[in-house]
């Protein structure tokens, strides 16, 4: 719900076109919250997001899960080979 979303624009000096928000949610539901937010925002407009993860494993899990659910996404982490 909207009351769980904290707008951080007033805390940081951000350009007008950039939004930064913090969402408080239970740990076990954070992936579901993220998917819901991505889906809810992509319906109305083209929205780009950067999601940070605390490990390569979690980044891969998020990428594979979201890709399987039809989210247009890519993954970038330290175990990837550079060409």
């Amino acid at each position: 719900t909207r009351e769980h979303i904290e707008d951080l624009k007033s805390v940081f000096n951000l350009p007008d076109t950039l939004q930064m928000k913090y969402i408080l949610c239970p740990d076990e539901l954070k992936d579901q919250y993220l998917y819901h937010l991505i889906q809810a925002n992509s319906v109305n407009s083209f929205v780009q997001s950067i999601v940070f993860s605390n490990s390569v494993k979690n980044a891969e899990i998020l990428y594979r899960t979201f890709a399987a659910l039809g989210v247009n996404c890519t993954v970038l982490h330290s175990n990837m080979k550079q060409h």
Side-chain angles (χ1 to χ4, degrees):
T1 61
R2 294 277 178 216
E3 60 269 9
H4 292 98
I5 300 175
E6 182 82 26
D7 192 346
L8 298 176
K9 193 163 190 116
S10 62
V11 178
F12 298 97
N13 187 19
L14 300 175
D16 290 337
T17 57
L18 183 64
Q19 293 181 24
M20 187 162 81
K21 298 184 180 189
Y22 185 82
I23 301 170
L24 294 174
C25 64
D27 243 9
E28 63 275 5
L29 297 177
K30 62 186 174 184
D31 296 345
Q32 291 89 335
Y33 271 63
L34 178 60
Y35 179 73
H36 171 75
L37 287 170
I38 289 171
Q39 289 302 103
N41 285 314
S42 67
V43 168
N44 299 324
S45 63
F46 177 73
V47 175
Q48 292 180 326
S49 300
I50 298 174
V51 177
F52 293 93
S53 179
N54 62 353
S55 71
V56 170
K57 179 182 174 184
N58 286 343
E60 274 294 329
I61 289 170
L62 273 176
Y63 166 69
R64 291 171 189 244
T65 302
F66 283 14
L69 292 170
V71 175
N72 183 11
C73 59
T74 190
V75 65
L76 178 65
H77 56 70
S78 62
N79 287 350
M80 297 176 75
K81 294 191 187 294
Q82 295 185 21
H83 299 284

